[in-house]
Amino acid sequence: DTGVSQDPRHKITKRGQNVTFRCDPISEHNRLYWYRQTLGQGPEFLTYFQNEAQLEKSRLLSDRFSAERPKGSFSTLEIQRTEQGDSAMYLCASSNRGRSSGANVLTFGAGSRLTVL
Amino acid sequence: RKEVEQDPGPFNVPEGATVAFNCTYSNSASQSFFWYRQDCRKEPKLLMSVYSSGNEDGRFTAQLNRASQYISLLIRDSKLSDSATYLCVVNHGGATNKLIFGTGTLLAVQP
């Protein structure tokens, strides 16, 4: 598998439930990003990992959101007590660190679409 | 003010037309610039990087004006398959190299 994989692709849940999304980045990529995208908007940055370290979190990420990358490979994004406003596409992306022309270019997964009823 | 601003469109153009998209960014420390393409209900994919000297890839030409903090994308001889949303993307700078996306400009090429 040479791409970024996300699971599940679609999730429908009731308000108040917890949901978890998984991202498997490109294996040699050490940087992993989570973005959120709503209709008519560009992707909004949520958080960033370099290897297993979470180095930045957006103010968009409330206390109900938590992300992990325990072994520096796959990552999970959990949303607790979901609200209707959490409905969005959650995109994971990975990249390499380096000075080559391909470094810092993000490769996105297909996304996990969340619908909160 | 948004960090990256684009005209959301839509731009409706006939096949064969030339169309230009513009984008401005607010962070003067930004060092890398890109155009991504996003098809309906798909993930964004890199179209091209934008270099200070300007660069061309087939029918696509990207330009950067650091003094004005302005980026452009020109598409010549538009094809039906060019219909998509074009996202202007700027590296925020700093240690994380996070990319900041504009809202995107929707292009619809008509037969």
Side-chain angles (χ1 to χ4, degrees):
Chain A
D1 183 11
T2 57
V4 178
S5 299
Q6 292 191 245
D7 182 70
R9 293 290 306 278
H10 303 274
K11 178 71 176 179
I12 300 173
T13 190
K14 292 182 179 179
R15 188 176 52 188
Q17 298 295 306
N18 299 343
V19 297
T20 299
F21 302 119
R22 176 181 169 123
C23 172
D24 288 89
I26 293 172
S27 57
E28 60 266 30
H29 284 181
N30 56 2
R31 294 180 165 184
L32 186 147
Y33 302 80
W34 285 98
Y35 283 80
R36 178 172 69 188
Q37 187 173 26
T38 53
L39 194 63
Q41 300 296 316
E44 296 175 297
F45 171 79
L46 293 179
T47 191
Y48 158 73
F49 290 86
Q50 184 165 309
N51 300 311
E52 67 276 7
Q54 187 175 19
L55 297 185
E56 187 170 347
K57 289 174 61 173
S58 165
R59 284 170 290 180
L60 293 174
L61 223 60
S62 76
D63 291 345
R64 297 184 296 105
F65 287 72
S66 62
E68 294 183 341
R69 194 183 183 197
K71 297 182 180 179
S73 56
F74 74 92
S75 175
T76 58
L77 176 68
E78 181 183 16
I79 309 173
Q80 296 182 325
R81 304 181 303 282
T82 51
E83 301 173 357
Q84 287 184 324
D86 297 332
S87 296
M89 176 73 86
Y90 290 84
L91 292 161
C92 176
S94 66
S95 74
N96 254 336
R97 181 183 181 184
R99 295 184 181 276
S100 68
S101 60
N104 304 322
V105 172
L106 297 189
T107 300
F108 282 89
S112 293
R113 183 172 296 280
L114 174 65
T115 301
V116 181
L117 302 177
Chain B
R1 182 187 172 189
K2 288 187 176 179
E3 289 192 63
V4 180
E5 297 210 51
Q6 290 183 255
D7 180 345
F11 282 51
N12 294 298
V13 302
E15 272 187 289
T18 295
V19 61
F21 304 137
N22 303 319
C23 167
T24 57
Y25 62 95
S26 62
N27 184 355
S28 58
S30 300
Q31 297 182 5
S32 304
F33 309 89
F34 309 91
W35 284 99
Y36 275 68
R37 169 189 169 135
Q38 186 170 26
D39 292 298
C40 187
R41 304 185 76 83
K42 299 283 190 180
E43 73 273 21
K45 293 184 178 179
L46 178 69
L47 177 66
M48 59 196 302
S49 301
V50 186
Y51 302 118
S52 297
S53 55
N55 49 298
E56 188 174 306
D57 182 1
R59 299 181 292 108
F60 299 82
T61 301
Q63 300 259 333
L64 168 64
N65 184 324
R66 286 186 185 271
S68 301
Q69 295 180 202
Y70 171 93
I71 306 161
S72 66
L73 176 68
L74 185 76
I75 306 176
R76 291 182 299 278
D77 188 23
S78 300
K79 312 290 184 192
L80 293 177
S81 58
D82 293 334
S83 297
T85 296
Y86 291 83
L87 295 158
C88 177
V89 187
V90 173
N91 177 301
H92 189 262
T96 61
N97 271 309
K98 69 184 181 188
L99 297 189
I100 305 299
F101 287 75
T103 55
T105 299
L106 178 62
L107 172 66
V109 181
Q110 313 289 340

